[in-house]
Amino acid sequence: MEQTAPRVLLTGVSSGCGKTTVACAVLQALVDRGLRVGAFKCGPDYIDPMFHSRIIGAKSGNLDLFFFRENTLRYLLARNSRDRDVSVIEGVMGYYDGAGLASTLASSWETARAAEAPAVLVVPAKGAALSILAVIQGFLDFQPDSRIRGVILNRCTAMTCQGLAEAIRERFGGRVKPLGFLPELPECALESRHLGLVTAAEVADLKEKLAALARQAEETVDLDGLLELAGTAPPLEYEPIALPRYGEAVRIAVARDKAFCFYYEDSLEALKDMGAELVPFSPLEDPALPEDIHGVYLGGGYPELYGERLAANEAMRASVRAALERGVPWRFERSCLRTA
């Protein structure tokens, strides 16, 4: 099958370069323009999609070439972009960083190739000048087809961006296009912890921060150029994936709260497609598991941060113990993320 899906991949030179901030700024600015926007994250990351979802008001998908075949990636990208005007894919780590120190396996670059998406490189500009062009050239030339078509400078001033944009055009011609900048915005900083950013639910004044980022992006990022670049992506070609559907109704209790919140949304959708009814519950707040369940799914998250509250919910603990004694099947996942 073939489907038109304007799309662009925002990537970075490394973790910590600001690509999530840039991605959130761009997503919110596009939503504020009234566009229907899709959002995706490369690889095993559950936190950034929470930020995406808060912005676009719909689920954000993961595109993971460690777990997915290329056709599965294209199918999920097409499925979740079907009613979108444009889709923004956020990379993971540095553009070429994959599952190993010397491998591009499951990297953002391989995702861009599989998705046939033009890539925009986020380059931190604070404390540098002409050396930034050396960084850009290195990323352009590291692989024969880098797919990098644009550059956004992060933590940059207007004056520096103006000079560097001219230098980028002069040195690289039409090979890569400068698409503006974001200045340093300490009031919009998103805090981190050991598995990446803190979750969206934990960020104080998140709406205000996103609104400020969007206003800044509208002023200093070439959003029209970004949309034009997304429109150059060719139609997505994929083979549809049909999952088996079981006739007997199955109710699965899915833990969803601040302690348990790391899920691949498409995995949950796959369970629904196969006929399961997913019943959310909170191990933190609820007194018991949902009634008449045939299984329990505890996703990853930060249960260690809520250990006292989980232990204090004695009613839930008793309900869990009773379900185990009845032989109710369980699945518990402990997430292991690469740094976003």
Side-chain angles (χ1 to χ4, degrees):
M1 293 187 67
E2 190 175 277
Q3 179 183 312
T4 300
R7 57 199 180 275
V8 65
L9 186 144
L10 293 178
T11 186
V13 299
S14 67
S15 294
C17 71
K19 62 182 173 294
T20 298
T21 300
V22 172
C24 287
V26 167
L27 284 169
Q28 187 66 66
L30 295 178
V31 168
D32 290 350
R33 285 187 171 193
L35 295 175
R36 298 170 299 169
V37 184
F40 299 86
K41 176 70 179 181
C42 294
D45 189 303
Y46 306 90
I47 298 176
D48 290 352
M50 295 181 198
F51 285 89
H52 299 169
S53 297
R54 289 292 184 94
I55 296 168
I56 66 174
K59 77 180 182 73
S60 172
N62 290 79
L63 302 176
D64 190 337
L65 283 171
F66 185 84
F67 291 113
F68 302 165
R69 295 175 180 172
E70 288 194 5
N71 180 68
T72 303
L73 182 147
R74 287 191 290 269
Y75 165 74
L76 292 175
L77 177 57
R79 170 174 165 162
N80 294 320
S81 298
R82 192 161 293 143
D83 59 348
R84 307 287 96 178
D85 297 313
V86 63
S87 289
V88 176
I89 307 167
E90 182 187 342
V92 64
M93 299 179 70
Y95 188 42
Y96 296 111
D97 297 329
L101 291 176
S103 170
T104 60
L105 173 65
S107 65
S108 301
W109 173 62
E110 291 202 347
T111 299
R113 293 176 65 202
E116 294 187 277
V120 174
L121 186 67
V122 175
V123 182
K126 185 176 180 179
L130 190 62
S131 296
I132 290 171
L133 270 68
V135 172
I136 296 170
Q137 183 158 344
F139 274 83
L140 285 171
D141 295 340
F142 186 73
Q143 294 289 352
D145 180 15
S146 73
R147 303 198 66 84
I148 296 172
R149 303 293 183 263
V151 174
I152 293 176
L153 302 176
N154 190 37
R155 305 181 192 118
C156 186
T157 66
M159 184 176 297
T160 299
C161 180
Q162 182 178 355
L164 287 175
E166 293 175 1
I168 289 170
R169 294 188 191 95
E170 181 178 343
R171 184 172 187 88
F172 301 113
R175 190 178 174 195
V176 62
K177 182 179 180 180
L179 292 170
F181 73 98
L182 280 184
E184 194 160 27
L185 298 167
E187 69 278 12
C188 297
L190 302 174
E191 297 178 10
S192 299
R193 63 161 63 99
H194 60 284
L195 292 182
L197 296 173
V198 299
T199 64
E202 298 173 281
V203 177
D205 303 321
L206 179 59
K207 287 185 177 180
E208 289 78 4
K209 290 182 178 183
L210 293 173
L213 285 171
R215 287 193 298 269
Q216 186 63 58
E218 192 67 57
E219 289 182 16
T220 59
V221 175
D222 184 0
L223 296 174
D224 292 330
L226 198 69
L227 290 170
E228 182 181 352
L229 186 62
T232 66
L236 275 169
E237 296 184 4
Y238 64 94
E239 292 298 323
I241 296 174
L243 296 174
R245 188 171 179 89
Y246 300 97
E248 184 179 353
V250 175
R251 281 168 53 87
I252 302 175
V254 181
R256 303 215 75 160
D257 57 21
K258 291 181 179 180
F260 300 94
C261 51
F262 292 175
Y263 294 96
Y264 274 17
E265 294 296 334
D266 283 306
S267 296
L268 299 178
E269 289 294 324
L271 290 174
K272 292 180 185 178
D273 289 345
M274 290 188 286
E277 178 187 357
L278 304 186
V279 187
F281 76 100
S282 170
L284 284 173
E285 306 292 345
D286 293 340
L289 291 169
E291 295 181 355
D292 303 322
I293 56 171
H294 303 93
V296 178
Y297 186 6
L298 285 168
Y302 291 117
E304 68 273 17
L305 300 182
Y306 301 93
E308 290 186 6
R309 287 180 59 188
L310 290 167
N313 192 347
E314 295 183 4
M316 176 61 75
R317 289 166 56 201
S319 178
V320 168
R321 187 180 302 111
L324 286 171
E325 291 172 351
R326 294 197 307 271
V328 173
W330 283 73
R331 180 172 180 83
F332 174 71
E333 294 184 0
R334 200 59 190 96
S335 301
C336 181
L337 303 187
R338 292 181 287 178
T339 303

